[in-house]
Amino acid sequence: EAGVVQSPRYKIIEKKQPVAFWCNPISGHNTLYWYLQNLGQGPELLIRYENEEAVDDSQLPKDRFSAERLKGVDSTLKIQPAELGDSAVYLCASSLGPPWNTDTQYFGPGTRLTVL
Amino acid sequence: SQQGEEDPQALSIQEGENATMNCSYKTSINNLQWYRQNSGRGLVHLILIRSNEREKHSGRLRVTLDTSKKSSSLLITASRAADTASYFCATGGEKLTFGTGTRLTIIP
């Protein structure tokens, strides 16, 4: 069974440029998460989707970050424009979601973003 | 914001020894999970312990939970070089909140 797929694995951009990350969750997983992980820290939730609905985006900096999950499967996270402080690893995760609510999340390898 | 804090922040032990790391959290929970993260990779789920459980085993892993103290511990027995990783506790169910992690180094 394929795990959570993310691309690209690495991205280097200059500040003020836009950047997008893509995630394909495990087949059959209804819930998808985007996390941000700074160096030496644990992941912090940015947004959570149940199917195509963003049910928790309270931590997403909406002035520059946006996300979509149009068909309830894969998802894209975008930053425009990127700032130096956005340099981090962006992790995508998925879980079965309702009605199973098993709470266990499966993570992709992440995208390491460097903003110069 | 981080819900939990792991202790110690870093731990180095000889291969074959046992490794113990602790997690403290702030609010009441339904369950607590432990994840492992190898360098440059995503997190891998290790074990989930529910609030009505006090101890749980999985292979070489033993997790305890003390809800009265809002703390959990992860014990890895007979450590191997492949156990070198960062270990995170997480609470919150659907909205996981992770601790700051313990960086474990196993010295061959």
Side-chain angles (χ1 to χ4, degrees):
Chain A
E1 179 183 306
V4 176
V5 179
Q6 289 187 249
S7 68
R9 291 293 312 277
Y10 304 91
K11 189 73 175 179
I12 300 174
I13 61 171
E14 294 188 346
K15 63 181 180 182
K16 300 184 181 180
Q17 294 299 306
V19 65
F21 315 123
W22 177 80
C23 172
N24 188 262
I26 292 173
S27 177
H29 281 194
N30 297 324
T31 304
L32 183 146
Y33 312 79
W34 283 103
Y35 289 88
L36 177 152
Q37 186 176 24
N38 288 306
L39 187 64
Q41 299 292 315
E44 297 184 40
L45 181 69
L46 290 173
I47 188 168
R48 174 167 64 98
Y49 283 93
E50 285 182 9
N51 298 302
E52 66 276 8
E53 181 183 359
V55 295
D56 185 354
D57 63 355
S58 57
Q59 302 299 319
L60 189 72
K62 299 181 183 64
D63 57 335
R64 296 183 301 106
F65 287 65
S66 64
E68 61 183 15
R69 193 185 185 199
L70 293 176
K71 296 182 179 180
V73 181
D74 56 351
S75 176
T76 303
L77 177 68
K78 298 178 182 178
I79 308 175
Q80 182 171 10
E83 297 178 352
L84 295 176
D86 296 331
S87 294
V89 175
Y90 292 82
L91 294 166
C92 179
S94 69
S95 66
L96 281 170
W100 298 275
N101 294 327
T102 59
D103 291 346
T104 298
Q105 296 183 21
Y106 298 84
F107 284 79
T111 297
R112 182 177 298 276
L113 174 66
T114 301
V115 182
L116 302 176
Chain B
S1 63
Q2 309 281 188
Q3 152 77 309
E5 287 190 10
E6 284 87 346
D7 171 60
Q9 290 187 340
L11 177 63
S12 293
I13 60 173
Q14 295 288 331
E15 190 170 18
E17 293 181 340
N18 296 340
T20 300
M21 54 205 85
N22 303 296
C23 165
S24 59
Y25 57 92
K26 299 174 183 176
T27 61
S28 61
I29 60 172
N30 291 323
N31 60 61
L32 183 144
Q33 302 181 54
W34 285 90
Y35 286 80
R36 181 188 72 222
Q37 185 175 36
N38 293 92
S39 179
R41 298 186 181 181
L43 285 83
V44 174
H45 178 261
L46 295 176
I47 196 166
L48 180 152
I49 186 167
R50 303 194 184 282
S51 59
N52 61 353
E53 298 175 309
R54 291 296 169 260
E55 186 171 314
K56 198 165 184 178
H57 297 254
S58 177
R60 295 184 296 112
L61 305 180
R62 172 179 167 253
V63 169
T64 63
L65 179 63
D66 187 336
T67 54
S68 67
K69 296 181 179 179
K70 291 187 170 58
S71 67
S72 174
S73 67
L74 171 66
L75 168 67
I76 304 174
T77 60
S79 63
R80 305 168 181 170
D83 295 328
T84 293
S86 291
Y87 292 81
F88 295 90
C89 65
T91 59
E94 291 177 332
K95 184 175 181 177
L96 281 182
T97 304
F98 288 83
T100 51
T102 291
R103 185 176 301 121
L104 175 65
T105 301
I106 308 300
I107 303 167

